[in-house]
Amino acid sequence: MPFQDYTLIQAPMAGGINTTELTVGAARAGALASIGAGYLSGQAIEEAVRAARDGGADAFAVNLFIPGEPGATEAQWRAAREALVPCYEAAGVDFPDTFAELPGFDEQFDAMLEARPAFFSFTFGRLDQACRDACRARGIALIGTATSRAEARQQAEDGVDAIVLQGEEAGGHRGSAETRGAGQPLAALLEACGDLGRPLIAAGGLMDGADMARVLGQGAAAAQLGTAFLSCPEAGTAPAWRQALAAAGPDATAVTAAVSGRYARGLANAWMDERAPRDIAPYPDQHRLTAPLRKAAGAEWKSLWAGTGAHRSRALPVEELVATLLKECRAAG
C-alpha cells in the first residue's frame, strides 16, 4: 500500500503507548498506524506485528531508534548515578543495584525485517546502506526523521520514501541525530525543506483536523500526530499521565535531557526544574539509570511526554478520533 494513500499518521510512541488496540483501531479507521518498537526485544517486535495483523491491521509502520554515540564512560556513569540518588530519595523509591540493558538495534532490525511491515520508520539518525538495501529487497518502504534542513537533505540523499519533519513542538524525544540538537518550529522546517523532492510528513504540536489542513497547505503530504492519541482509552498511557493531560494548560510542557540523555518534551515536572540532576549520562545510559525511578514514582518523577498542544487533548476512542480528525481536515481544507 503506497504512502500516498495516507494524510494522517498515528505517531510511533515507544514504552508501551502503541498497544495492539491503538494500532489496530487507527489502521481500521484509515490512518497509517505505527508500532513504537524502540524498547522492544526482537521477539516482542515479532509478537506485536503478529498481533496487529491478527487484529485486522493490514499496513502499518514499525519504528526503531538508530544507534548513536557510544555509551557512558565509567566516570560518566558514576557521576550520573550519584546525581540521581537524591531524586530517588525524594520520590521514596529504593535505589537499585543493577539497571536493565536495552535491546540491541541489530536484534530489533532483524526481527523487523522478518516481520516485513509495509513501512519501517526510524529516528535519531540515518539508516546505513546495507539496512536500506535489506528493506528494499523485502518491499519495505522507508520513513526517516529530520529536525533540520541538513538532516532532511541527508535523508533525501539516502532515498527514503518520506521524511518526518519533527518540529520542536513535538512531544517525546527530539528525533535529531544530535542528542542535544537544537529544535526548530515546524512551520520553518516545512518552508526550508519543500524543495527536497520527497514527501514530507509534518509532526509537532498537531492536535486536530484544522492543524492537519494547515500543514498540508504548507506543503506536507501527511500529518503525524502523537499526543492527540495519548488520551484514547486504547493507548497504554498510565493513569497519572492521563490525569496530567486532562489538567494541562497552554504552557504545560518543557524540554529536558535529564530523563534519558536526549532532549525530550513533556508535561513539566521534577525533571524540568531545580530537582533534576545536573550530571547526565549519554543516551541511552541515562534512560537506563532513570527507568526504575520513573516506573515506581508518582507523577512528579514520571516521563509524561507530550507536545505543546497537550491542553487540547480529547479522550475519544481511537477509531472515533481518527474519523473526527479526517472529517475536520476535509472541512478545514
Side-chain angles (χ1 to χ4, degrees):
M1 185 174 292
F3 166 77
Q4 288 77 7
D5 287 352
Y6 301 97
T7 56
L8 171 61
I9 299 173
Q10 166 250 310
M13 294 177 281
I17 301 300
N18 290 154
T19 63
T20 297
E21 293 76 17
L22 188 74
T23 300
V24 169
R28 283 178 172 173
L32 174 57
S34 302
I35 297 174
Y39 302 128
L40 297 183
S41 67
Q43 180 178 344
I45 290 171
E46 293 174 3
E47 291 171 352
V49 170
R50 187 179 308 114
R53 287 182 173 137
D54 289 347
D58 295 325
F60 47 84
V62 171
N63 178 270
L64 293 176
F65 303 150
I66 300 297
E69 62 184 288
T73 64
E74 184 176 346
Q76 288 173 322
W77 178 269
R78 186 185 312 112
R81 190 177 184 279
E82 291 174 357
L84 281 165
V85 170
C87 304
Y88 275 83
E89 291 177 346
V93 177
D94 292 338
F95 200 88
D97 295 323
T98 60
F99 299 87
E101 296 283 349
L102 295 176
F105 177 77
D106 290 344
E107 171 194 343
Q108 295 175 317
F109 184 78
D110 288 346
M112 184 279 300
L113 284 179
E114 184 68 23
R116 291 198 182 193
F119 300 89
F120 173 50
S121 67
F122 52 93
T123 189
F124 301 167
R126 302 170 76 175
L127 190 66
D128 66 36
Q129 182 72 57
C131 289
R132 298 198 304 270
D133 289 346
C135 289
R136 296 295 186 205
R138 290 161 177 79
I140 301 170
L142 299 175
I143 302 176
T145 304
T147 62
S148 67
R149 176 177 167 80
E151 290 180 346
R153 186 176 63 247
Q154 290 174 339
Q155 296 289 351
E157 291 170 354
D158 289 344
V160 299
D161 296 280
I163 304 169
V164 174
L165 295 181
Q166 187 197 45
E168 63 185 7
E169 304 91 340
H173 283 101
R174 189 168 290 166
S176 174
E178 301 294 329
T179 57
R180 309 289 178 90
Q184 295 182 35
L186 176 58
L189 279 175
L190 285 167
E191 183 177 1
C193 299
D195 63 343
L196 294 179
R198 287 290 183 276
L200 303 176
I201 301 168
L206 310 178
M207 295 296 291
D208 60 25
D211 292 337
M212 292 175 58
R214 184 182 72 252
V215 295
L216 294 177
Q218 293 170 338
Q224 179 169 285
L225 282 64
T227 302
F229 287 91
L230 288 174
S231 295
C232 292
E234 297 88 350
T237 314
W241 197 345
R242 292 180 185 275
Q243 293 167 10
L245 284 167
D251 300 314
T253 68
V255 175
T256 182
V259 169
S260 70
R262 297 189 66 98
Y263 278 149
R265 181 178 294 279
L267 299 173
N269 59 9
W271 293 112
M272 287 82 164
D273 63 26
E274 68 279 355
R275 293 170 289 178
R278 295 296 177 260
D279 286 311
I280 300 172
Y283 179 88
D285 288 314
Q286 183 73 10
H287 173 96
R288 294 174 56 213
L289 286 166
T290 65
L293 171 57
R294 291 181 283 117
K295 181 178 181 179
E300 275 301 285
W301 289 99
K302 290 193 181 299
S303 47
L304 307 175
W305 302 141
T308 56
H311 60 290
R312 296 193 285 135
S313 295
R314 294 178 283 190
L316 298 175
V318 61
E319 293 193 41
E320 182 180 347
L321 177 61
V322 170
T324 300
L325 289 167
L326 295 174
K327 180 178 179 180
E328 291 173 341
C329 182
R330 290 190 295 270

